[in-house]
Amino acid sequence: MIEPTLNYVSCPGPAAAGAAQDAGHRMAFWQWSGGGADAGHVVVCVHGLSRQGRDFDVLARTLAPHARIACPDVVGRGHSDWLADPQGYQLPVYAADMLALLAQLHAEFPIHTLDWVGTSMGGLIGLLLAGQPGLPLPAPVRRLVLNDVGPALEWDALVRIGQYLGAPLIFASEAQAADALWQISSSFGPHTREQWLALSRPMLRPAPQGGFRLHYDPAIAVPFRSIQPQDAADGEALLWQLYGQVSARTLLLRGAQSDLLSPATAERMTGCGPRAQLVQFEGVGHAPTLVDPAQVEVVRRFLLDADAP
């Protein structure tokens, strides 16, 4: 079975907790590559707000025989540094970190084809990169997968997420943690117990007092909770502008019961900008985990089949 390697990239910008002010921070990323893979074809897979790069294990194993797959832990999550100033936990910093990642990957082996798979927050980061033609990407984004996210985010869903984000939870066991995570993530749709445990284990770290805590810096909630409705409206206008500038062929995935990506927004995205191809998954809300074989196959065909619609 193909397994990833854990790597790091040094990023300029906000300092890591405990580091000198101008020292920047490190971002971890998981790199996948199977025998015969085209190392010049890179697929970057970026997770949602409180998740981490191992969310993409199933998809990455499917793609790794064909391309080099990079699944970063966005700063403040997983094995990446935590920031000294919580205000650094925002999209412009995340996008700059991805530029540093791509530059390092390109230096290791030149990138000739670049694809992006982004779930929720990871999709917004992808919009920032694919929607600004002047950025120093090693290659233009060729194909863009937006997983249950678009320029317009439903306010009620943001409020719902803010209710649990950053809560100082301690779990006695992995099983208890998986059950607790399911309570706030059941909208992900049906999963077997084994699938859910596999998604949950990378979310945990040993707690100093015993048991387990969540992997991320609770301070990622600070800028998120400071968002006001007017801020969201202003951000939406900018994101629609970026979406209109995307030249990549775009696939929009939507959980049919999603409360973050509305049917109206999804429909609008099929008729403007890159005119995304829309695929909806029944029985799923926010967001599809890309673990189910049918979900994986949709993404695989879009990225790898030359004649994909």
Side-chain angles (χ1 to χ4, degrees), residues 14-50:
Q21 188 172 0
D22 59 351
H25 55 272
R26 290 198 314 168
M27 181 175 69
F29 65 98
W30 300 91
Q31 186 164 232
W32 300 74
S33 184
D38 178 1
H41 181 185
V42 168
V43 181
V44 180
C45 303
V46 185
H47 58 78
L49 180 65
S50 63

Side-chain angles (χ1 to χ4, degrees), residues 7-8 29 31 68 101-110:
N7 304 268
Y8 294 89
F29 65 98
Q31 186 164 232
R68 188 167 33 145
L101 168 63
L102 290 169
Q104 179 167 307
L105 293 175
H106 187 59
E108 292 170 355
F109 195 99

Side-chain angles (χ1 to χ4, degrees), residues 44-49 56 74 91 94-95 98 116-131 141 144-151 153 239 242-243 246 250-253 260 269 286-287:
V44 180
C45 303
V46 185
H47 58 78
L49 180 65
F56 295 99
V74 175
L91 289 175
Y94 303 155
M98 298 305 159
W116 190 278
V117 179
T119 294
S120 195
M121 179 189 74
L124 296 181
I125 299 170
L127 270 185
L128 263 66
L129 297 183
V141 177
L144 173 66
V145 180
L146 299 176
N147 186 16
D148 211 64
V149 70
L153 307 178
L239 288 172
L242 292 170
Y243 183 73
V246 170
T250 301
L251 172 66
L252 177 61
L253 306 177
L260 188 76
M269 292 172 71
H286 182 73

